[in-house]
Each structure stands twice: as C-alpha cells, then as structure tokens.
C-alpha cells in the first residue's frame, strides 16, 4: 500500500505540483534550478544572488528564498525578478524577505497592475489547493523597473535582464547570465512545447524576439515549463513557430476556417514533430489568423 501511494505521489509530476520542493539541479557554473511548476532559476555570484520567478503564492516564494540562502549563505544581497506576470511566476513576491530587491521590466509591471488580480482570481478558482496558496497574495511594488535592459552584477557573474518585445505575454522578460551564457527563457524558448500567446504579442513579434535571442549566442537554456537544454533550443523554437505560422497562413489564404486549420495542423504537426509530448496547436493557429 505504501509503495502504491509513493508511486502515485511520484507520478504527480513536479511539473504540475503547485508546491515547490527544496531540491536543486545545477544548470551551469553559476545557475541552479528548482525543477517544478514553474522551474525556478537561482543565480549565485560572489556577493549576491538572483532568483528568477516566485512560484504560486507567498509560501512558494518563501521556500525559494530559503533555498537561495542555503546555496549561498554568505551572500547578503538577494535580487529577484519574474519572467512574466502570470501567477505561478509572480504571485509569490511577498514570500521573499522584505529587503530583497524586486526588478522587472516596465511593460510586465503594467500588465501586473492592470491584469494581475484577475489572473490570481482565475488561478485561485482552479482548485482548493491553489486557492489556499493564493489566499494571502498581495502585490509588491518593484524596487526597480526598466525599459529594455537591466544588468545585475552579482560578483563574478552578471545577469542581463532583457525585454525584447511581446511573445507569450507583452512583458516577457529574459535573463541572460554571463559568463555562463545561460538563458532563463520563461515561455519564450521552451523544450518541445507548443507556444501559447496569452494576451501577449503575435506570432510575428515572437519571431522578432527570437531573432534578438539568437544574437546572444546562448549555450544553456532553462525554460519555465519544460526540461533544460542547450542553445539549439533557440533555433528549434524559431523553426517550429515559423513552420506552424507559414502552414496556418497558407490555409488562411485558401479560405480554411481557423478551427479547421487548428485541427488539420494538429494532426500534421504530430507527424512532423513526433517526439513532442503534446500537439495542441489550435490556440496558436488562432493567433496566426488574428495577426
Ligand atoms: Zn504564462
């Protein structure tokens, strides 16, 4: 019986569990990750530490801050930032210590102010557990906002926080860690995951963002909702979006409805990209039609 329960517990994969654990994996020389929903990056320098994303609700934020302190007990300064304003990425803000410095791009901050509460209410309605995790949510005012780039010097390692334009959301933020050349990519570059646009940019603006990402010459990628990988993930993301966008535009030209195109391309792309775990392209096809 115990074995069965353990088995059940482990199949509730960390990818969907809204409570983050304290185990970390090393992504590159200065970058660690808590793998979960979502993956959390912890960048450790000689003097300071930077966390990317907060988990869902303050309890997860507090867990991450504890893990960050354990990884670098001597670092007095803690910075944190968020890939985008969606609740599993940003609603744990107040779980971080009061002295931690919150930085994010200005576009993302304006999305947080205009739409953050609605998203938190939506996520709280999904399950009693999420409701409980979000019960003591409040917004935290960032200490620093920036337009296109902020550099955070952590001592021996620098994180470039970058806003390259709209993709999954309008305010998607990337973190590029040097000298590791590790990209904390949020939803913008993922590992075999069909992209989704949630009130964000268009497929065309997403591709424009990826061109800027390509110029960074990335070596490692830590995405938010899939496995880490190497720099080839950037080109793969661009190839998939280009491929799907061209196919959808072609069907649009021929007069196929968006719904039919979504169904048809779902089948075609399942065959074309057989190792992708899920191929629900309907939403992205609608985004192409709406461009
Ligand atoms: Zn999201």
């Amino acid at each position: 019986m115990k074995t069965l329960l353990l088995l059940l517990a482990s199949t509730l994969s960390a990818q969907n569990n809204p409570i983050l654990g304290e185990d970390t994996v090393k992504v590159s020389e200065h970058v660690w990750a808590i793998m979960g929903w979502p993956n959390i990056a912890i960048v450790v320098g000689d003097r300071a530490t930077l966390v990317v994303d907060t988990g869902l609700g303050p309890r997860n934020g507090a867990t991450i801050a504890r893990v960050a302190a354990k990884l670098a007990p001597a670092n007095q300064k803690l910075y944190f930032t968020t890939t985008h304003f969606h609740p599993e990425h940003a609603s744990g803000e107040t779980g971080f210590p009061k002295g931690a410095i919150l930085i994010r791009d200005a576009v993302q901050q304006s999305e947080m102010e205009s739409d953050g509460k609605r998203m938190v209410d939506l996520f709280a309605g999904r399950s009693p557990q999420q409701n409980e995790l979000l019960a003591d949510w409040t917004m935290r005012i960032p200490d620093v906002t920036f337009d296109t780039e902020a550099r955070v010097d952590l001592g021996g390692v620098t994180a470039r926080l970058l806003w390259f334009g709209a993709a999954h959301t309008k305010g998607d933020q990337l973190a590029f860690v040097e000298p590791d050349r590790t990209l904390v990519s949020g939803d913008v570059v993922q590992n075999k995951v069909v992209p989704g646009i949630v009130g964000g940019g268009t497929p065309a603006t997403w591709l424009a963002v990826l061109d800027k990402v390509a110029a960074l010459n990335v070596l490692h990628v830590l995405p938010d909702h899939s496995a880490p990988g190497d720099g080839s993930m950037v080109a793969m993301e661009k190839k998939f979006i280009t491929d799907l966008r061209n196919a959808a535009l072609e069907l649009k030209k021929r007069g196929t409805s968006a719904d039919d195109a979504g169904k048809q391309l779902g089948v075609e792309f399942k065959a074309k990209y057989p190792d992708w775990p899920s191929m629900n392209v309907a939403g992205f096809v609608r985004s192409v039609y709406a461009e």
Side-chain angles (χ1 to χ4, degrees):
M1 192 61 189
K2 195 175 179 203
T3 315
L4 182 67
L5 282 175
L6 281 173
L7 209 72
L8 285 172
S10 65
T11 51
L12 174 70
S13 89
Q15 210 93 65
N16 304 309
N17 187 345
I19 296 176
L20 293 166
E22 300 201 12
D23 293 339
T24 51
V25 298
K26 194 168 183 178
V27 175
S28 62
E29 195 186 346
H30 301 91
V31 182
W32 278 260
I34 300 173
M35 303 305 291
W37 187 70
N39 301 330
I40 307 295
I42 304 173
V43 187
V44 177
D46 299 333
R47 294 189 306 270
T49 303
L50 168 75
V51 167
V52 184
D53 280 352
T54 71
L56 188 81
R59 172 180 159 182
N60 281 308
T63 300
I64 299 164
R66 209 160 49 235
V67 173
K70 243 186 335 197
L71 277 175
N75 283 356
Q76 298 293 313
K77 215 162 196 178
L78 178 63
Y79 297 93
F80 70 115
T81 189
T82 52
T83 57
H84 57 296
F85 80 104
H86 289 162
E88 80 272 38
H89 303 273
S91 65
E93 290 171 337
T94 57
F96 283 75
K98 281 205 165 54
I101 297 161
L102 174 59
I103 308 176
R104 69 161 58 95
D105 68 80
V107 176
Q108 185 186 139
Q109 179 57 24
S110 74
E111 283 178 299
M112 173 63 99
E113 285 164 19
S114 62
D115 211 20
K117 186 179 183 326
R118 185 186 70 85
M119 289 298 288
V120 163
D121 290 344
L122 188 75
F123 275 54
R126 285 183 177 174
S127 76
Q129 186 187 35
Q130 293 199 19
N131 187 51
E132 194 190 318
L133 287 166
L134 290 166
D136 52 350
W137 170 79
T138 51
M139 237 179 249
R140 180 161 169 164
I141 296 163
D143 301 277
V144 179
T145 56
F146 65 93
D147 290 332
T148 56
E149 177 165 354
R151 277 174 183 264
V152 187
D153 181 358
L154 304 170
V157 54
T158 301
R160 294 173 62 191
L161 308 184
L162 301 161
W163 180 76
F164 278 166
H168 170 64
T169 63
K170 292 186 176 67
D172 291 314
Q173 188 191 286
L174 303 150
F176 186 56
V177 178
E178 295 173 322
D180 301 30
R181 289 161 60 198
T182 297
L183 180 74
V184 184
S185 61
D187 273 69
V188 174
V189 179
Q190 284 228 68
N191 205 339
K192 297 173 183 164
V193 174
V194 175
I197 294 174
V198 184
T202 65
T205 67
W206 197 317
L207 288 172
V209 167
L210 289 173
D211 283 339
K212 294 184 192 174
V213 174
L216 294 173
N217 194 16
V218 170
L219 200 56
H220 314 277
V221 181
L222 176 67
D224 56 356
H225 295 300
S226 50
D230 65 22
S232 69
M233 281 172 59
V234 177
M236 174 59 87
E237 186 73 50
K238 187 180 175 187
K239 178 181 182 299
F240 183 84
I241 293 179
T242 304
D243 221 8
L244 184 56
R245 179 169 178 263
N246 289 345
L249 287 175
E250 185 57 38
L251 289 176
K252 188 183 181 188
K253 220 190 302 173
R254 283 194 236 147
T256 309
S257 75
D259 282 356
D260 287 348
K263 280 180 207 143
Q264 184 182 327
L265 293 175
V267 175
E268 272 174 36
F269 276 67
K270 185 78 222 166
K272 236 175 151 176
Y273 295 85
D275 58 338
W276 287 41
S278 146
M279 195 51 80
N280 187 354
V281 300
F284 200 82
V285 168
R286 271 197 301 277
S287 298
V288 175
Y289 270 61
E291 244 177 44

